[in-house]
Amino acid sequence: QAHEGIAITTTKAKLRSLASLNQGKLSGLGAVFLGADVIYVDENTSDVGLIIPRHLHDTAWLKFRDLLFKHKAYRFEEEFRITLLLPEDREDNPSGVKLDVAPSLNSFVNRIYLSPLIGPSHWFVDVVREVMEKFGLDKTKLTFGEIRTNYTG
């Protein structure tokens, strides 16, 4: 069973700054930059439509909103998600968009958490360390997550 997992943290302000920092690139692609807090729900939520903020009813947000749901057990993560919506009618849409971060990737990333279900000698840890070194990330940003057992619902 694979337990390799990674979470990279930054701040909402840094994520939001990507839109203005990459404005020329995004407008050239006709891309819409969207960002919002994750909406935490339980499995018994019967009408998801009632918990969607009212301003999310335009077409772009309708495509994005399903990416915003997560089980309430993960509320402690306080997750914020971003996405780029590209025009569907463009024939040359890229399969990915590389966004610039400022002033550097190392200052953009706060912490990198690895799954607490793997140990420090696991092969995945070595791979992550190599990637961090390649991209100039401070190795002290790497840590193991914790297993939370105090979920209260």
Side-chain angles (χ1 to χ4, degrees):
Q1 185 172 359
H3 295 293
E4 298 83 15
I6 187 169
I8 300 172
T9 65
T10 189
T11 66
K12 289 181 190 180
K14 290 177 187 177
L15 285 171
R16 286 186 178 118
S17 74
L18 294 175
S20 59
L21 183 65
N22 293 277
Q23 184 176 8
K25 183 185 295 186
L26 298 176
S27 64
L29 291 169
V32 176
F33 182 95
L34 300 172
D37 291 298
V38 165
I39 299 167
Y40 297 96
V41 298
D42 67 24
E43 62 277 3
N44 297 319
T45 301
S46 60
D47 188 357
V48 171
L50 295 176
I51 61 174
I52 300 290
R54 294 289 179 222
H55 71 280
L56 300 184
H57 290 287
D58 64 68
T59 305
W61 280 104
L62 288 173
K63 294 177 182 177
F64 181 47
R65 70 178 184 178
D66 290 340
L67 299 174
L68 296 176
F69 295 113
K70 199 166 187 177
H71 192 276
K72 67 181 181 179
Y74 297 98
R75 185 172 291 147
F76 70 91
E77 294 178 344
E78 299 178 24
E79 191 172 340
F80 182 83
R81 294 184 179 175
I82 63 169
T83 192
L84 295 178
L85 293 178
L86 299 168
E88 294 177 18
D89 57 351
R90 280 184 62 138
E91 293 184 19
D92 62 339
N93 270 339
S95 59
V97 177
K98 181 180 177 184
L99 298 177
D100 296 320
V101 295
S104 71
L105 183 61
N106 195 55
S107 64
F108 187 79
V109 173
N110 289 353
R111 301 288 287 166
I112 299 175
Y113 292 93
L114 296 180
S115 169
L117 301 177
I118 61 174
S121 60
H122 193 279
W123 66 268
F124 188 66
V125 178
D126 293 332
V127 170
V128 171
R129 285 187 177 130
E130 287 178 28
V131 171
M132 288 177 68
E133 184 177 341
K134 178 179 179 177
F135 288 95
L137 291 167
D138 182 352
K139 61 184 176 183
T140 63
K141 293 180 185 256
L142 183 64
T143 189
F144 287 91
E146 61 186 61
I147 297 175
R148 302 226 175 187
T149 59
N150 60 346
Y151 172 67
T152 58

